[in-house]
Amino acid sequence: MLVLGIETSCDETGVALYDTTRGLVADALYSQVELHERYGGVVPELASRDHLRKLSPLVRQLLDESGHTLQQLDGIAYTAGPGLIGALMTGACFGRSLAFALQIPALGIHHMEGHLLAPLLDQTQTPPEFPFVALLVSGGHTQLIQVDAIGEYTLLGESVDDAAGEAFDKTAKLLDLGYPGGPRLARLAEQGTRGRFRFPRPMTDRPGLDFSFSGLKTHTLTCVKQLRETDQLDQQTLADVAWAFQDAVVDTLVIKCKRALKQTGLKRLVIAGGVSANQHLREQLRSTLQGMGGEVYYPAPAYCTDNGAMIAYAGACRLLAGQQDQSPPPALRPRWPLVELQGLA
């Protein structure tokens, strides 16, 4: 089965072809970073309009470069949520209309399930076996999930306020690092001095697997204000603050992952979502899991952020199991709990 995947949940237009026998055939991605950079963040209306402009030529480019035609498609998967409603509508209308014209099935896919399954795209490494614990960590979500099979998810813990990626972006903004803030803060932290500042590890001094990063963000803001008032905020100090903030977030995530593995008795951890590309987080989790006799799995760097390949793969798994949109198709869901998904038949 050859499936076209379409991802338009936020500010990335991603398309991909996934074949259930050959694996990932091709993918293409258009980023709107330059469009939104002048505003310091994503402008939903502009994002929707840009998806509309880029989707059709991007699909044509994908098919031409891979040597395929529309008539060879067996199904279409598109992101149905969570995400920006206008952006979701663009991808969904395109995917549903194309499927209707070709008389093939279409299926709306949960954006975070795409991230969760992204490590299975890497054909150069052995994929994780079920069951495992997944840390989904992105700009909009920080969740620990027990994954028993595709569609069989148990929520173990989640952020009660800012997600980790959101905290990165907001902290980068108060440090005047520009947009996109998270990756810029991580790069600045590489120049920081270990131990000059130590920030709190929120909610690690109590039981449970929930997260909270708003207090850490406020602590960082207070620290920066004090440094500015005393004229101590030079470039090196800024890097030291960035390192302390990143280290606090990473340490918190690692502590909670370790706790989740012990609670479930599992030894396999999957980390996915945009923040999973953070090298400090990868190094700390790798070291921790080795000490526990466990294994940690990541998507390839290209598939950590939003992309069409993860939607094509998740869609292929579900379409192959016989799932598809009914008529009329279900409403798009800007908010959509992952645990509400159905398992594969």
Side-chain angles (χ1 to χ4, degrees), residues 100-291:
F100 179 80
L102 296 172
Q103 297 186 336
I104 58 177
L107 181 63
I109 296 298
H110 194 293
H111 177 76
M112 296 310 295
E113 181 173 62
H115 276 304
L116 189 154
L117 300 178
L120 281 67
L121 281 166
D122 192 345
Q123 298 167 324
T124 65
Q125 69 172 6
T126 303
E129 295 181 3
F130 299 106
F132 56 78
V133 171
L135 171 66
L136 301 180
V137 57
S138 66
H141 298 80
T142 301
Q143 297 179 324
L144 281 165
I145 305 284
Q146 180 173 324
V147 181
D148 294 314
I150 294 177
E152 297 180 20
Y153 308 130
T154 302
L155 179 65
L156 303 175
E158 61 183 340
S159 180
V160 298
D161 42 54
D162 290 351
E166 184 180 7
F168 262 94
D169 289 338
K170 289 181 177 179
T171 301
K173 190 171 185 177
L174 71 88
L175 296 178
D176 296 323
L177 299 182
Y179 172 85
R184 295 186 181 188
L185 189 149
R187 286 195 294 271
L188 179 62
E190 294 176 0
Q191 306 167 29
T193 304
R194 177 188 296 268
R196 180 179 174 186
F197 300 100
R198 179 174 172 81
F199 291 171
R201 276 63 173 157
M203 295 184 71
T204 58
D205 58 348
R206 67 190 76 173
L209 296 173
D210 285 337
F211 303 88
S212 172
F213 294 107
S214 63
L216 174 60
K217 180 187 62 183
T218 302
H219 181 92
T220 307
L221 174 61
T222 301
C223 177
V224 170
K225 282 184 176 179
Q226 291 173 347
L227 291 167
R228 280 179 175 148
E229 288 171 357
T230 55
D231 200 27
Q232 299 180 63
L233 196 61
D234 55 24
Q235 188 62 27
Q236 183 57 54
T237 300
L238 200 64
D240 295 344
V241 169
W243 194 97
F245 172 82
Q246 176 181 257
D247 192 52
V249 173
V250 166
D251 204 20
T252 299
L253 294 173
V254 171
I255 289 170
K256 297 286 184 162
C257 285
K258 185 176 180 179
R259 192 178 292 178
L261 291 168
K262 287 184 176 180
Q263 178 177 307
T264 59
L266 299 174
K267 294 291 186 180
R268 290 179 291 273
L269 175 71
V270 164
I271 172 174
V275 182
S276 69
N278 185 283
Q279 290 303 309
H280 186 44
L281 177 59
R282 290 191 174 212
E283 291 166 5
Q284 294 302 308
L285 282 175
R286 186 181 301 112
S287 175
T288 298
L289 267 290
Q290 286 178 349

